[in-house]
Amino acid sequence: MTTKKNLGFGKYFSPRMVQTTWTLAKGWAPLEITDVAPIALHPAASVLQYSQTIFEGMKAFRGEDGKIRLFRADFNAARFQKSASRVCLPEVPKDIFLKATYDAVSTNRDSIPSDEGEALYLRPTLMGTEGFLGVRPSHEAMFFVICSPVGNYYEKGQSGLKILVETEDSRAALGGIGDAKAGANYAASLRAAERAKSKGFDQVLWMDSATHQWIEEVGTMNIFFRIGDTVVTPALNGSILNGATRTCVLEILRDKGIRVEERPVSIEEIFTASENGQLKEAFGTGTAAVISSVQEFALSSGGRRAVLPDNGEIATAMRKTILDIQYGRTADKFGWCTIVN
Ligand SMILES: *Cc1c(COP(=O)(O)O)cnc(C)c1O
């Protein structure tokens, strides 16, 4: 026996992928299951020239009962369509998306890890493949699902994040593509994240692009704060990505009767609440890391700071509730899981 490897996030790939193509003339071809292999593209493909591409992030879990659960597939299918239409790619019909993700999990079932915190991460991807340099939507597209057995997203675990408030760059702007899961948004975000890391932070807090006063997201996650007895998250405004995990947290909080508000949240409110002792905890939500507790927000290195308790009551409860559903330790009362055979 070799010693068990630390899976990390996105380093390893399952052997099989599901794929299909679309053309304007003929629509969607049948799904195919193939070995994972490089893709041949025309150098003028719209994905390469104009970033006409979107993706999804989902997980499947091997439960303690031996069953495999695919999480929130309906939500991801709907969001994938919304993202596609925003960048003028063909919407993948819901039944094709659901079958492709189900088949990707089923065909790679031997590579689904089973330890706590581990899962099979799915990356459905849609891109324009037509070789044409004129600027208009591609008349050809490719849709595929690849899978990666993953462990924890952050090497240091799901807590203690130090976050730099980003006051120069913007991830997305109103009227842009921030609420689509588009690859181009990530290109826009890399520089600020690298800058923050070089200053000793884990990620940035994204602010609105016009004034940098209103909080949008934290890194590639949605953000929640507990102020007094109320849980607050920025309202979806068109440039914030509508996270599946965000909706899980909102639904669980409402189900538990905890007061929750979706509304604009300014950085001034957060620093003031911290100074008044009202800021009890903060956490990011996303498929990759589930719930990540934030320990510090800083305006700049050595600048105004809010330091808060790590792994607060709500973050801990949300993480437990979601993981218990994902690993089948508790009833799936919200109907979030699909059993994969
Ligand atoms: C994917 C993503 C999230 C989290 O969404 P989940 O569906 O919860 O994984 C948040 N923000 C951005 C920018 C994202 O791309």
Side-chain angles (χ1 to χ4, degrees), residues 53-57 79 83 177-183 185-186 220 241:
T53 180
I54 57 150
F55 65 90
E56 267 306 324
R79 188 170 67 187
S83 298
I177 57 173
D179 65 349
K181 217 165 169 70
N185 288 323
Y186 281 68
T220 58
L241 196 280

Side-chain angles (χ1 to χ4, degrees), residues 79 171 181 186 217 220-222 241 243-245 286-287:
R79 188 170 67 187
R171 187 192 78 87
K181 217 165 169 70
Y186 281 68
E217 303 200 43
T220 58
M221 296 183 288
N222 296 113
L241 196 280
T245 321
T287 295

Side-chain angles (χ1 to χ4, degrees), residues 4-9 12 59-63 69 111-121 148-153 158 287-288 290 323 326-327 329:
K4 198 175 170 317
K5 64 188 171 190
N6 175 10
L7 290 172
F9 188 88
Y12 302 100
K59 276 177 172 173
F61 300 83
R62 193 183 290 283
R69 287 175 176 79
S111 68
I112 307 174
S114 57
D115 280 3
E116 184 71 23
E118 294 181 340
L120 190 71
Y121 181 80
S148 171
V150 299
N152 285 328
Y153 187 76
Q158 263 114 10
T287 295
V290 190
L323 290 175
Q326 291 175 330
Y327 289 101
R329 291 189 288 255

Side-chain angles (χ1 to χ4, degrees), residues 298-305:
L299 210 43
S300 60
S301 331
R304 200 171 178 196
R305 290 199 311 159

